[in-house]
Amino acid sequence: MNLLLLSNSTQHGRGYLEHAMDTVTGFLPAGARLVFVPYALADHDGYTAQVRGALAGAGIDVRGVHEGGDPLARLGEADAVFIGGGNSFRLLAALYRTGLREALIKAVGAGLPYMGASAGTNMAAPSLRTSNDMPIVEPPSFEALGLVPFQINPHYLDPDPASTHKGETREERLTEFLEENDVPVLGLREGSWLRVDGGRATLGGARDARLFRRGAAPREIAVGADLSELLDVTPAFDSRA
């Protein structure tokens, strides 16, 4: 697998993908035909134009997967694929509806570089079960692409000790997930990403991550850490502790 999985596409005070642009342009060399999947938002044309504008200076040719009427044909023409953020449930429902889910699993498995941000990073995991999003639509299944065998929680937020909000913290929600499922969860804070190159997985970006496993206290993962061991796990869903 050749994956770049971003926690977020927009960092506070910076433009679209600007915080990760050196990494993105290293992953997507100049002249690459990048097919963009905009289905996590309702405005497909506007979303694609935003990505095209952000990457124009790097000489990357961005084409919307919805442009031309045949998403599978657009994917077949691509040198790489990028799935953007938005609502993960809407995105996955569209991947099932268009046939792109199976096509992406096959293409990325055969070596097509895959970049995701936020909801697009959720798609790389086996399931939607650790998404932060509201289920505004119902996809046929929670099964995502399964490009990695563990779960990812983009936009991971640490508990705020000064907050008076009484809802569950992100850590509490992920702990609840592990009570019902035996699958590691990598909490990617904003500004961080995971790079997978073959059998090696490395944490990149500006902020450390947090790793959750059943039966163990969450632990901090430093930027630059080797997370390749996560590529060998076997996920077990609906496996109550």
Side-chain angles (χ1 to χ4, degrees):
M1 295 287 181
N2 188 10
L3 315 174
L4 176 60
L5 305 176
L6 305 163
S7 176
N8 53 301
S9 54
T10 304
Q11 194 79 353
H12 177 70
R14 309 192 72 178
Y16 189 83
L17 291 177
E18 184 181 352
H19 69 289
M21 190 58 71
D22 288 346
T23 297
V24 169
T25 54
F27 183 71
L28 305 169
R33 295 171 298 175
L34 176 67
V35 66
F36 176 63
V37 180
Y39 296 142
L41 295 185
D43 182 1
H44 301 162
D45 290 337
Y47 200 3
T48 301
Q50 181 183 33
V51 176
R52 186 175 287 130
L55 296 176
I60 295 168
D61 179 17
V62 177
R63 308 174 184 186
V65 75
H66 66 294
E67 296 172 338
D70 186 350
L72 299 184
R74 296 290 78 73
L75 180 65
E77 298 166 352
D79 297 318
V81 61
F82 174 32
I83 301 187
N87 186 277
S88 297
F89 292 88
R90 173 159 56 190
L91 171 58
L92 186 57
L95 296 185
Y96 273 101
R97 184 173 64 250
T98 58
L100 277 171
R101 178 179 172 272
E102 290 299 324
L104 282 163
I105 292 170
K106 182 177 180 180
V108 178
L112 182 72
Y114 177 101
M115 186 169 84
S118 188
T121 289
N122 277 332
M123 293 303 104
S127 172
L128 281 193
R129 298 184 194 208
T130 54
S131 168
N132 306 314
D133 297 330
M134 183 176 290
I136 61 173
V137 298
E138 184 175 1
S141 169
F142 283 175
E143 289 187 25
L145 301 179
L147 305 179
V148 296
F150 55 93
Q151 291 296 118
I152 300 175
N153 180 246
H155 304 281
Y156 177 76
L157 281 173
D158 294 291
D160 179 1
S163 175
T164 59
H165 177 67
K166 300 308 293 180
E168 294 98 330
T169 65
R170 191 73 53 80
E171 181 171 317
E172 288 171 335
R173 289 180 175 180
L174 294 178
T175 299
E176 291 171 350
F177 167 82
L178 289 170
E179 291 169 352
E180 302 290 340
N181 306 277
D182 190 3
V183 190
V185 184
L186 182 65
L188 286 178
R189 295 183 175 96
E190 291 191 348
S192 64
W193 52 80
L194 184 70
R195 180 74 172 91
V196 178
D197 187 2
R200 184 176 175 82
T202 309
L203 181 68
R207 302 184 68 191
D208 295 345
R210 195 156 176 84
L211 182 63
F212 297 81
R213 288 181 181 269
R214 177 183 280 184
R219 66 185 177 95
E220 289 292 298
I221 305 296
V223 171
D226 185 345
L227 289 167
S228 303
E229 65 182 64
L230 293 179
L231 299 175
D232 296 325
V233 303
T234 300
F237 293 97
D238 300 311
S239 174
R240 180 169 292 192

